Amino acid sequence: DEDEFFWKVVDATMKFMKNEKGEIVPPVADWADVAGLDYTKPELRRYIIDMLKSWVRDYDLDGFRCDVALMIPTDFWDQARAEVDKVKHNTIWLAEAEKPDLLVHAFDLDYSWNMHATLTEILVPDDVEPRMLDAEVRAFRSRPLEETTYPYLWLDATYLKVREGGRVVSMAALVATGIAAAVAGSGHRA
């Protein structure tokens, strides 16, 4: 039948992970809606890398956000990035992960969940009523930055719970920490 033929073609191309009975299995047991891919198969790697290159070449994509990047071998990501860079060298890659090895060659940014936890602990202590923070947040967000030079800048992508309109909401954030010229080398953050 047509449906069976389709899955045979897809399976031959994609190289799914399978159990002892030959059934396609998810990468994590409770992810029943996802089929696991077998990254030990060179033809699977080639197929995915060719698709990534095609999207950049044919649709001029600026980059990729890669879901659960830590569950895919780092050497695959390194190879994929090197090959995509040959098509377009200035793409931005975001790993939905926090694994330092991914940032060596393949990814530009990760989710920095540890940073998220630290910022949440610092900015929203358990004993503080969230409404009390509104004035401080407003003042911080509207402070002038233009009269200071920041020769050192550290960027980090993360996901935060933030105060917005008197309530806490989830928001993706790019955290920029600048070291001002006046205090460069002193270890003090601007």
Side-chain angles (χ1 to χ4, degrees):
D1 103 308
E2 190 176 299
D3 192 45
E4 184 178 331
F5 174 76
F6 169 78
W7 282 109
K8 283 182 182 177
V9 170
V10 168
D11 184 34
T13 304
M14 297 302 287
K15 304 299 178 189
F16 292 110
M17 292 169 41
K18 296 182 179 179
N19 62 18
E20 316 76 51
K21 299 177 189 174
E23 301 165 325
I24 296 171
V25 296
V28 175
D30 62 345
W31 292 5
D33 61 332
V34 178
L37 299 175
D38 186 352
Y39 283 88
T40 66
K41 307 294 186 192
E43 52 273 33
L44 169 74
R45 289 172 173 239
R46 173 59 28 220
Y47 176 80
I48 294 174
I49 290 170
D50 286 348
M51 294 304 331
L52 293 168
K53 289 166 47 177
S54 169
W55 292 331
V56 168
R57 181 183 55 249
D58 300 342
Y59 302 101
D60 197 28
L61 261 62
D62 293 324
F64 299 97
R65 176 206 169 270
C66 301
D67 200 26
V68 287
L70 74 156
M71 293 180 62
I72 295 169
T74 301
D75 70 307
F76 167 78
W77 291 123
D78 292 346
Q79 179 187 2
R81 178 63 185 263
E83 292 197 32
V84 169
D85 279 354
K86 292 175 188 172
V87 176
K88 184 177 181 181
H89 73 281
N90 59 348
T91 55
I92 296 175
W93 292 52
L94 169 63
E96 190 247 351
E98 186 170 25
K99 181 180 173 189
D101 291 354
L102 293 173
L103 297 170
V104 175
H105 299 292
F107 290 93
D108 302 297
L109 304 161
D110 69 14
Y111 270 37
S112 299
W113 285 307
N114 287 332
M115 173 66 87
H116 168 259
T118 300
L119 288 174
T120 299
E121 188 176 309
I122 292 168
L123 297 174
V124 188
D126 292 335
D127 62 341
V128 172
E129 170 61 36
R131 291 185 201 278
M132 294 168 53
L133 297 175
D134 286 342
E136 288 183 50
V137 169
R138 240 185 332 277
F140 179 79
R141 290 175 74 181
S142 61
R143 74 193 185 290
L145 298 175
E146 58 274 353
E147 63 267 345
T148 304
T149 301
Y150 297 94
Y152 303 103
L153 186 65
W154 177 71
L155 298 174
D156 194 20
T158 191
Y159 205 78
L160 302 169
K161 298 284 187 190
V162 299
R163 302 283 304 151
E164 186 71 36
R167 59 192 183 100
V168 177
V169 297
S170 296
M171 184 177 293
L174 179 64
V175 178
T177 303
I179 306 298
V183 293
S186 71
H188 294 94
R189 288 184 286 175

